Amino acid sequence: MRTFIFLLLISSVHLFSQNLITPQNAGINSKLIKDETSEALWYADNAGSKTEIGSIITELKKLNKTDLLIRTTVKLNQAPDAKWTDSTLVKISDFTPIYHSSFNMMRDMVLKSDKDKVTGYYLDKKSQKKENIEIPATHYFDSSSYAMLIRFLPLKENYTAEISIFDYNPKSEKKGVMKAYILDTHKAEYKGKPVWIIKTNDDISNKASATTYYIDIETRKIVKQDMDMAGRKMFMEIVQ
């Protein structure tokens, strides 16, 4: 009887832990990953009317047989000369993080991923305060890459999961490894094409913000994003 209970406990632990996605078990279909460049217009939703905030250009590029570069360039309508570029380097096969940098008008940040820690720096440009970063971390994705990661997961109806991510924000109580959550996955149509609609949130916002991705089932490209940031609604639509 004791042996039976022990085995039951072991199987229960396995059952409840198997939905935590890390690079070791994500099941990414790397054959779907192709070089691409896309542009999305970024809007604020004001009671049904939309105001264009700017645009975001996203580039995926295989640098060699093993490494994938994910680069986003943000252009803001109210600050057309401001530069805002994020670059993330991951392994093509499983999205293991290698490097992340983010440079914009407010701050510079660089993160380097090792086997058991993340190192780098964060520079607040307003105060000119620079913080050196060294945080223990294992089995995670960089938070900047998980939107791309979702595209290549083994998606199906009612698919849900927890995703282990690393995020750094000096103004947040939470730094280091935390979770993102796939809350719901279902098929629908968007502009006449079949898509996966995937609702997510994460610990970065203490689950207060939700992002819904519309992913073309055939190409696995994100064609739209809806964002609800504690009541402030925004969305992005692909234009090319």
Side-chain angles (χ1 to χ4, degrees):
M1 184 67 179
R2 288 181 180 179
T3 302
F4 172 75
I5 294 173
F6 178 70
L7 291 173
L8 183 63
L9 287 171
I10 290 177
S11 63
S12 297
V13 169
H14 176 72
L15 184 66
F16 287 108
S17 64
Q18 65 183 353
N19 277 343
L20 178 64
I21 296 177
T22 70
Q24 288 68 37
N25 67 0
I28 293 169
N29 187 346
S30 59
K31 293 179 181 179
L32 296 170
I33 302 173
K34 303 181 186 304
D35 288 0
E36 65 178 54
T37 301
S38 62
E39 182 177 4
L41 294 181
W42 182 9
Y43 297 97
D45 186 342
N46 298 309
S49 64
K50 62 183 184 181
T51 303
E52 187 177 322
I53 299 171
S55 65
I56 300 177
I57 297 172
T58 302
E59 179 185 4
L60 271 66
K61 184 176 180 59
K62 294 180 180 179
L63 300 182
N64 47 50
K65 291 183 178 180
T66 60
D67 299 337
L68 176 71
L69 173 66
I70 305 168
R71 180 161 50 209
T72 59
T73 303
V74 180
K75 298 180 179 180
L76 299 173
N77 291 353
Q78 293 186 346
D81 297 327
K83 294 183 178 180
W84 184 349
T85 302
D86 285 16
S87 300
T88 304
L89 194 62
V90 301
K91 292 296 183 183
I92 297 170
S93 60
D94 59 11
F95 270 56
T96 293
I98 302 170
Y99 171 89
H100 172 68
S101 66
S102 181
F103 302 112
N104 61 38
M105 48 285 201
M106 297 174 290
R107 50 107 177 103
D108 291 347
M109 181 171 65
V110 171
L111 300 173
K112 296 179 181 179
S113 297
D114 295 319
K115 288 184 178 180
D116 59 358
K117 64 182 177 180
V118 174
T119 59
Y121 71 85
Y122 185 104
L123 173 65
D124 186 311
K125 291 185 175 178
K126 184 177 181 180
S127 66
Q128 285 301 304
K129 181 181 179 182
K130 183 177 182 180
E131 296 186 22
N132 291 320
I133 300 167
E134 184 171 344
I135 299 176
T138 58
H139 307 306
Y140 62 91
F141 302 98
D142 189 276
S143 63
S144 65
S145 70
Y146 88 81
M148 291 298 109
L149 163 73
I150 289 171
R151 296 172 51 181
F152 308 116
L153 292 175
L155 301 174
K156 60 183 180 180
E157 285 282 357
N158 303 313
Y159 180 85
T160 61
E162 297 180 350
I163 304 173
S164 178
I165 61 172
F166 180 96
D167 190 77
Y168 183 84
N169 182 345
K171 297 178 181 178
S172 174
E173 292 181 3
K174 291 186 176 180
K175 302 180 185 70
V177 177
M178 57 191 77
K179 291 179 182 179
Y181 306 89
I182 297 177
L183 304 174
D184 181 61
T185 303
H186 65 273
K187 287 182 181 179
E189 281 198 0
Y190 176 72
K191 293 187 176 180
K193 291 187 176 182
V195 294
W196 290 114
I197 297 182
I198 302 172
K199 185 176 181 180
T200 71
N201 63 19
D202 53 51
D203 290 336
I204 300 171
S205 65
N206 289 318
K207 303 180 184 178
S209 298
T211 301
T212 301
Y213 300 94
Y214 296 69
I215 298 176
D216 186 296
I217 288 178
E218 183 178 352
T219 66
R220 290 295 181 98
K221 291 182 178 180
I222 298 174
V223 294
K224 186 185 179 188
Q225 286 180 237
D226 292 336
M227 294 159 283
D228 187 337
M229 304 178 69
R232 184 185 180 192
K233 298 183 183 297
M234 296 184 289
F235 63 94
M236 291 190 288
E237 293 182 328
I238 295 293
V239 293
Q240 67 177 39

